[in-house]
Amino acid sequence: AQTVTQSQPEMSVQEAETVTLSCTYDTSESDYYLFWYKQPPSRQMILVIRQEAYKQQNATENRFSVNFQKAAKSFSLKISDSQLGDAAMYFCAYRSEGYRDDKIIFGKGTRLHILP
Amino acid sequence: DTGVSQNPRHKITKRGQNVTFRCDPISEHNRLYWYRQTLGQGPEFLTYFQNEAQLEKSRLLSDRFSAERPKGSFSTLEIQRTEQGDSAMYLCASTGHTEAFFGQGTRLTVV
């Protein structure tokens, strides 16, 4: 069974600085998706960024980028120029590309604090 | 289409009562998921559907829990004989081919 591990329960970063959130996963599959979701205090989960495993190029969305290391099964999120609105829980998630057993598995999350 | 909709947003019930939650997914999405989330934790998978077919149920889903998705549109999650340990946020999500889109959740409090 696939698992997703986030080893940092909480992190803090100074406003305008850069922070990296870690995620590792375990799978025997070669085709899958990885995601970072953000859950602000209002609690609706929002997609931050997506990575397809077959793509070697790391995904980027404005201030958010990932470091995808397929062989190491590592998928970290870098937030540049941190803003107060980035404060939230961040969840790393995995989804198989298979037709069946493609449920989305989440890590336990990292709470990110932004210090003004 | 405004996204995934869940109702009610909040539910307070007495222990032993039955509750039912509804999820309306994004209309063109054929996959629908239910998750449970407790404070400070990640979403725990409960069950999911491909159209009207229930593909998998988690071991977390006891016999008191049942989910349906008639006609492959909206879905309901029913909890019978609620217990205090059922208090949590219940999240619904739908997906096409890649990422999931979440509703705002139903917060259940069992007193």
Side-chain angles (χ1 to χ4, degrees), chain A residues 33 35 37 39 42-47 50 52 89 91 94-109 111, chain B residues 4 9 31 33 35 37-43 45 48 50 54-56 89 91 95-104 107:
Chain A
Y33 300 99
F35 311 98
Y37 280 88
Q39 191 176 41
S42 66
R43 303 204 64 152
Q44 183 161 20
M45 201 84 70
I46 304 166
L47 178 72
R50 175 186 75 215
E52 291 88 344
M89 284 288 289
F91 296 100
Y94 168 100
R95 182 187 185 188
S96 167
E97 267 204 43
Y99 178 74
R100 295 188 71 89
D101 195 21
D102 65 340
K103 59 184 177 289
I104 301 174
I105 305 298
F106 287 84
K108 293 187 180 298
R111 182 174 298 281
Chain B
V4 179
R9 292 287 308 280
R31 286 275 208 270
Y33 302 78
Y35 290 86
Q37 187 180 28
T38 53
L39 199 60
Q41 298 297 311
F45 169 77
Y48 76 129
Q50 166 75 15
Q54 190 171 20
L55 296 185
E56 186 176 339
M89 178 75 84
L91 298 174
T95 178
H97 298 291
T98 53
E99 68 267 22
F101 294 83
F102 282 82
Q104 291 191 297
R107 178 177 294 284

Side-chain angles (χ1 to χ4, degrees), chain A residues 42-88:
Chain A
S42 66
R43 303 204 64 152
Q44 183 161 20
M45 201 84 70
I46 304 166
L47 178 72
V48 175
I49 199 164
R50 175 186 75 215
Q51 175 79 43
E52 291 88 344
Y54 69 86
K55 290 186 178 179
Q56 293 186 335
Q57 187 172 8
N58 289 323
T60 299
E61 288 287 342
N62 301 314
R63 297 182 296 108
F64 299 87
S65 61
V66 299
N67 183 4
F68 172 48
Q69 302 288 328
K70 191 172 184 179
K73 297 179 182 175
S74 170
F75 183 61
S76 62
L77 174 70
K78 185 171 81 172
I79 306 174
S80 303
D81 185 27
S82 298
Q83 300 175 0
L84 294 177
D86 295 333

Side-chain angles (χ1 to χ4, degrees), chain A residues 2-15:
Chain A
Q2 297 89 1
T3 59
V4 176
T5 302
Q6 294 179 249
S7 58
Q8 305 151 315
E10 289 195 57
M11 292 194 71
S12 297
V13 63
Q14 210 69 39
E15 193 176 3

